[in-house]
Amino acid sequence: MEIISKSYLSSFHEVLEQEASAIISLKEVLDEETINRAIEMILTCNGRVVVTGVGKSGIIGRKINATLASTGTPSLFLHPAEGLHGDLGMVTKEDIVIAISNSGESDEVLRLIPSINKIGAKMIAIVQNTKSTLAVKSDLVLSIGDVTEACPLGLAPTTSTTVTLALGDALAVALLKARDFKPEDFAVYHPSGSLGRKLLLTVQDVVVSTNKNPVVHGNVSIKEALFLMTAQGMGATSVVDEHDLLVGILTDGDIRRAFALSDNVLLSHVDDLCNRNPIVITSDMLAVDALKIMEERKINVLPVADSNNRPIGMIHIHDLMKLGI
C-alpha cells in the first residue's frame, strides 16, 4: 500500500485554536452571580456533590468528580443507567447533583429528575442549551455557551467536552480556594502520591519499614563495630555510653580515614574514632525534612533518638529515595 506524504499540522492547529477560543469565551458566558451561586450552593451543602452524565458527558463527569473529591469537596459519580436501577439510593436530600448533558435532553439523565426531586436534592445543570428540559428543571444552570464542535462533521463531542472539562476544573479550583485547601490537605487524599509521601511520611515510618538500629558501646573494638555495620548495611552505627544514651556516631568513612594514619585501626576502640557531635533527629520529624538535612550537610545517615536520647533507629538516604521522598 502506497503511503502518501501529507501534513496534518494545519488540522491540529485548527482544532487546538477552536477549543482554546471556546474555553476563553466561557469567561463571557458565565456571569459573576451565577458562578457565586454555584460555589455557595456547594460550600453550604451538608452532603456530597453527585456528578452524573451519560456517554462522553459521563466520561467528563467522572473526571470532574475525581477532581472535586481530591481537592476537598466530597463527591461521587452516579451513572444514570445504574441510578435508574437502584443506585439513586446513594443520593440524599443533603446532596447537590451536577447533571451534565450538552443538549440537555439526554433521556437517561432526564429520567433521574423525578426521583432526585422526590429525594430533595438540588440540581446544577451543565448544558449548552439553556432552554433545554434539563436546564429548565434544575435549580441552577452553568452554560458552556454556543460552542461549535471541532469535529468537521459536527457530530463527535470535541469542543463541548473540552469546555465542560475546563468549567469543571474552574469550579473545583474555586472551591479549593474558598475552602483554603492546603498542600497538607491534598496529601491526606493522596497518601500514595509523591506529595503525600513528602507531607505525611515521618521518620518513624521509615524506621519501622527498615527496622535498622545499629548500636555499639564506645569501649568495643572497631573490628566488632565494623562487623555490626556490615550486618546492618547502614555504613554507620550509633555509639552509646554505659547508660545506653546516644553520645556519637561511627561511620565507615571515619574508619577509612583512620586507616590512612595507622594500620592498627581495627584494634582501636570506637570511642577513639567516633564523632562526638552527631546530628540527631527525632521520630516525629517529617522524612522529607530529614532528607533536606542529609543533602545540606552532605551525609548519608542520621541516627534517630527518643525523648530520653536513646537511639531507636537509623535512616539512610537510600531508604528515603526508595520510598519516593
Side-chain angles (χ1 to χ4, degrees), residues 73-132:
T73 299
S75 177
L76 61 88
F77 179 80
L78 173 67
H79 191 287
E82 299 298 334
L84 293 170
H85 291 277
D87 280 5
L88 268 168
M90 295 187 293
V91 182
T92 74
K93 64 179 180 179
E94 304 293 340
D95 298 334
I96 290 178
V97 177
I98 295 181
I100 305 171
S101 172
N102 186 42
S103 66
E105 300 295 344
S106 300
D107 182 62
E108 296 90 341
V109 175
L110 295 183
R111 289 170 64 189
L112 296 175
I113 295 177
S115 294
I116 291 172
N117 289 338
K118 189 170 184 178
I119 291 169
K122 293 182 179 179
M123 284 187 62
I124 296 176
I126 298 181
V127 296
Q128 179 174 174
N129 184 0
T130 57
K131 297 181 180 179
S132 62

Side-chain angles (χ1 to χ4, degrees), residues 278-323:
I279 300 173
V280 181
I281 59 175
T282 57
S283 61
D284 59 348
M285 175 184 286
L286 287 177
V288 67
D289 291 333
L291 178 60
K292 288 179 182 178
I293 293 174
M294 291 179 173
E295 291 175 338
E296 291 172 358
R297 302 300 290 269
K298 294 181 172 56
I299 54 180
N300 292 328
V301 293
L302 284 173
V304 184
D306 63 15
S307 58
N308 295 316
N309 200 35
R310 288 186 170 83
I312 58 174
M314 182 173 285
I315 62 174
H316 196 286
I317 193 169
H318 291 161
D319 296 324
L320 298 180
M321 292 180 174
K322 287 178 182 178
L323 292 170

Side-chain angles (χ1 to χ4, degrees), residues 52-68:
T52 190
V54 69
K56 304 299 186 295
S57 292
I59 294 172
I60 297 301
R62 289 183 185 277
K63 166 58 172 66
I64 293 174
N65 160 63
T67 303
L68 288 170

Side-chain angles (χ1 to χ4, degrees), residues 14 42 60 71 77 79 96 162 185 210 212 220 302-303 315:
E14 183 180 344
I42 297 174
I60 297 301
T71 52
F77 179 80
H79 191 287
I96 290 178
T162 300
D185 302 313
T210 59
K212 298 291 181 65
V220 306
L302 284 173
I315 62 174

Side-chain angles (χ1 to χ4, degrees), residues 18-234:
Q18 184 171 334
E19 295 197 354
S21 177
I23 291 175
I24 295 299
S25 297
L26 189 60
K27 293 169 56 178
E28 308 303 325
V29 174
L30 294 173
D31 60 87
E32 184 177 6
E33 181 182 354
T34 301
I35 293 172
N36 288 344
R37 279 189 61 198
I39 298 300
E40 290 297 327
M41 281 178 66
I42 297 174
L43 285 177
T44 57
C45 170
N46 293 322
R48 301 151 302 175
V49 172
V50 180
V51 185
T52 190
V54 69
K56 304 299 186 295
S57 292
I59 294 172
I60 297 301
R62 289 183 185 277
K63 166 58 172 66
I64 293 174
N65 160 63
T67 303
L68 288 170
S70 68
T71 52
T73 299
S75 177
L76 61 88
F77 179 80
L78 173 67
H79 191 287
E82 299 298 334
L84 293 170
H85 291 277
D87 280 5
L88 268 168
M90 295 187 293
V91 182
T92 74
K93 64 179 180 179
E94 304 293 340
D95 298 334
I96 290 178
V97 177
I98 295 181
I100 305 171
S101 172
N102 186 42
S103 66
E105 300 295 344
S106 300
D107 182 62
E108 296 90 341
V109 175
L110 295 183
R111 289 170 64 189
L112 296 175
I113 295 177
S115 294
I116 291 172
N117 289 338
K118 189 170 184 178
I119 291 169
K122 293 182 179 179
M123 284 187 62
I124 296 176
I126 298 181
V127 296
Q128 179 174 174
N129 184 0
T130 57
K131 297 181 180 179
S132 62
T133 304
L134 179 60
V136 171
K137 293 189 176 183
S138 295
D139 297 286
L140 183 67
V141 178
L142 296 177
S143 173
I144 63 171
D146 186 16
V147 301
T148 301
E149 302 293 5
C151 167
L153 302 177
L155 300 175
T158 46
T159 307
S160 60
T161 50
T162 300
V163 175
T164 301
L165 181 59
L167 191 159
D169 286 342
L171 190 66
V173 172
L175 288 164
L176 178 152
K177 292 180 178 179
R179 298 182 193 279
D180 194 24
F181 198 77
K182 295 181 170 58
E184 293 80 2
D185 302 313
F186 188 85
V188 171
Y189 298 109
H190 301 76
S192 292
S194 176
L195 179 61
R197 288 191 292 272
K198 288 180 180 179
L199 296 178
L200 297 178
L201 198 69
T202 65
V203 168
Q204 176 64 25
D205 296 323
V206 180
V207 169
V208 170
S209 67
T210 59
N211 195 30
K212 298 291 181 65
N213 188 28
V215 177
V216 296
H217 285 86
N219 58 0
V220 306
S221 69
I222 294 297
K223 182 178 180 180
E224 183 178 347
L226 192 57
F227 281 138
L228 174 64
M229 291 162 58
T230 302
Q232 292 274 310
M234 296 297 291

